[in-house]
Amino acid sequence: TSLFPVSGIAGEKIIISGKGFSGIKILEINFSGESARIIEQNDNYIQAIIPQNANSGNISLKARTNDASQELIISGPYFKIIKKVIGKEIEDQWYLRKINIHDAWDYSSGSRDVVVAVIDDGISFNHPDLQKNIWVNRDEIEGNLIDDDGNGYIDDRFGWDFVEESDDMSPTGTHGTMVAGIIGANGGGEIKGINKNISLMSLIVSDQRGEIVSEDIINAIYYAVDNGAQIINLSVGSGSNKYSEDFNKAIKYAFDNNVLIVAAAGNGDMEN
C-alpha cells in the first residue's frame, strides 16, 4: 500500500507496507529487472535493500501462499531511483543549480537558531537527511502529561498534531517530509536542502486523506509564532479551507511579531 522512502539510492533500505504479509512467502522483490535482498518480513511490512543497477518504476513482489497452493505477482507502487551524487548535490536536484545555491553556501548554509515551522502533514523525524534538524521544544518534558512550558499544549516536545489534538507526531502523509527536505535537508543521506543548518518545527494540519480545515491552520500559525518560529512554510491546497477574517488575524499576528509566512501559489490547480 505504501513505501518509505519513495525514492532512494542503491544500497539503501526500503520498507514496503501492507497487510497480510505473514500469510505468504515472498519469493522475490523486483526493481525493474533487479532483485532486492529481503532483510525482514512481518504481517505489516517487508524491509529490503535497493539493488544495484535498479531503475525507476513499479516494484513487483513475487509470492507464494504458505500452503504452496498458489503463486502470485503484485505490482506497484512506483519507486524512483536516484542515480548518483555529483558535486554538492544529487543529480536529480537540478533546482539547486538553477538558483545558484553553491554561491550562497560560500557565505552561509543557515543556522540552527532559525526555526522554520512546516505546517503540513508532518515530518519523518527518522529520515537521515532531516533527523539532525528537527526542532525540539526544550521547555517541555516528553511523556509526563504536564504542560511544562504553559503554552496550552501537553507534551508538545516535537510539535503538535492539530487534527487529532495530539502530541503524536507520526506523519499522516509524505508531503511535509518532502517540503522539509527542500527547506533543510542536511545531506546525511545525500539529499541537501537550501539550508543544511536549520531547525524544522513540525505542525500537522492534514489528515490521512489530505483534508485540511482552516481552523487547524490558524491554530498552527499562532502556535508557530508563540513558540519561536521566525518563518512559517504554508504549502497547503484544499477546497475545505477558506480565507476568512480569522485567517487574516492570524497572518497579521505573525506579521506583527516579525514572522515571515511563505505560502505556495496555485496548489490544487484551482482557478480562484
Side-chain angles (χ1 to χ4, degrees):
T1 57
S2 64
L3 301 174
F4 182 80
V6 295
S7 64
I9 298 170
E12 291 182 339
K13 294 179 182 179
I14 180 173
I15 295 175
I16 304 169
S17 300
K19 295 289 185 183
F21 286 140
S22 61
I24 57 176
K25 176 178 177 57
I26 302 296
L27 303 177
E28 183 183 33
I29 299 177
N30 193 283
F31 286 70
S32 302
E34 296 290 328
S35 294
R37 179 167 61 90
I38 301 170
I39 55 178
E40 185 179 355
Q41 175 184 343
N42 61 31
D43 194 55
N44 297 313
Y45 70 84
I46 306 162
Q47 192 174 58
I49 301 295
I50 302 170
Q52 298 295 329
N53 302 317
N55 293 306
S56 299
N58 286 340
I59 294 176
S60 65
L61 279 65
K62 184 178 181 181
R64 179 189 297 134
T65 55
N66 285 340
D67 61 7
S69 64
Q70 185 181 7
E71 286 194 1
L72 63 155
I73 295 178
I74 307 165
S75 181
Y78 188 89
F79 186 81
K80 183 175 182 179
I81 295 293
I82 299 170
K83 287 295 186 182
K84 60 182 179 179
V85 176
I86 55 172
K88 294 185 180 179
E89 76 285 332
I90 63 167
E91 183 179 32
D92 288 355
Q93 287 190 274
W94 54 266
Y95 54 88
L96 294 179
R97 296 187 295 278
K98 280 285 188 179
I99 63 173
N100 296 317
I101 194 64
H102 304 103
D103 292 338
W105 283 341
D106 288 338
Y107 293 93
S108 174
S109 56
S111 169
R112 294 281 170 80
D113 294 332
V114 176
V115 179
V116 180
V118 180
I119 298 178
D120 213 291
D121 59 14
I123 300 172
S124 176
F125 292 168
N126 292 324
H127 195 292
D129 294 304
L130 298 173
Q131 56 188 357
K132 292 182 180 179
N133 286 349
I134 299 301
W135 173 81
V136 178
N137 182 0
R138 304 291 180 188
D139 296 325
E140 191 75 14
I141 299 172
E142 184 181 8
N144 68 353
L145 302 180
I146 298 172
D147 181 12
D148 300 287
D149 58 2
N151 69 352
Y153 298 88
I154 295 174
D155 290 345
D156 58 320
R157 177 77 170 173
F158 300 100
W160 193 253
D161 181 344
F162 290 87
V163 179
E164 300 294 336
E165 291 296 330
S166 168
D167 65 319
D168 182 352
M169 297 307 296
S170 303
T172 59
T174 59
H175 186 267
T177 299
M178 177 194 70
V179 168
I182 294 171
I183 296 168
N186 66 8
E190 303 298 351
I191 302 295
K192 290 182 171 63
I194 302 300
N195 304 281
K196 66 180 181 180
N197 296 306
I198 204 79
S199 293
L200 298 163
M201 177 191 290
S202 180
L203 302 176
I204 299 175
V205 298
S206 174
D207 66 17
Q208 292 182 342
R209 295 171 297 179
E211 294 185 1
I212 305 168
V213 296
S214 297
E215 183 180 3
D216 291 339
I217 300 174
I218 292 167
N219 290 335
I221 291 173
Y222 281 114
Y223 180 100
V225 175
D226 292 342
N227 289 276
Q230 291 99 332
I231 301 169
I232 294 172
N233 187 88
L234 194 56
S235 177
V236 296
S238 172
S240 60
N241 62 78
K242 306 293 184 182
Y243 199 78
S244 63
E245 182 59 30
D246 287 339
F247 226 134
N248 194 57
K249 288 179 180 177
I251 291 173
K252 187 176 186 301
Y253 182 74
F255 178 82
D256 290 343
N257 284 276
N258 298 315
V259 176
L260 173 68
I261 295 181
V262 180
N267 270 16
D269 287 336
M270 298 175 67
E271 292 184 4
N272 297 315

